[in-house]
Amino acid sequence: MADKLNNDVLKLERTYYAFLMDEQDRKCPVCGHEVKSRYRFCPACGNELRTVCPACGELMETNWKSCPHCGHKIEQPEAKGELV
């Protein structure tokens, strides 16, 4: 019962976090086009803005070193632009 409650709370926290992030105006670091935080790629230039964690499948920023959802460590082959 406690595990189910914890999972439900975690899902609610993720939903709320996504809602808060959508409220922010962001720009593509390559072309400067305004993008939503839920976008994985820039619709103007195709730059990858977010990536998928290989362990849990959640979306995450391309410059993160570990997944905030499951803690999986990410190896980064090269630096990519950050959302501003």
Side-chain angles (χ1 to χ4, degrees):
M1 173 95 168
D3 287 338
K4 179 170 176 9
L5 181 59
N6 286 339
N7 286 337
D8 290 344
V9 169
L10 183 60
K11 286 178 186 178
L12 184 59
E13 287 174 346
R14 286 180 181 169
T15 302
Y16 181 65
Y17 175 76
F19 170 77
L20 289 178
M21 294 305 294
D22 271 347
E23 297 298 311
Q24 297 178 359
D25 290 335
R26 299 178 136 199
K27 295 187 180 198
C28 173
V30 173
C31 72
H33 185 79
E34 287 190 21
V35 295
K36 299 282 186 189
S37 63
R38 67 179 179 268
Y39 290 179
R40 182 163 178 207
F41 297 93
C42 174
C45 71
N47 179 52
E48 183 177 30
L49 302 169
R50 300 180 79 197
T51 189
V52 175
C53 174
C56 70
E58 292 283 344
L59 284 177
M60 50 185 278
E61 302 292 330
T62 56
N63 62 335
W64 289 350
K65 295 182 182 185
S66 65
C67 176
H69 306 285
C70 71
H72 180 76
K73 301 285 186 215
I74 307 296
E75 291 185 29
Q76 298 198 0
E78 61 183 70
K80 294 188 177 185
E82 295 181 28
L83 290 178
V84 289

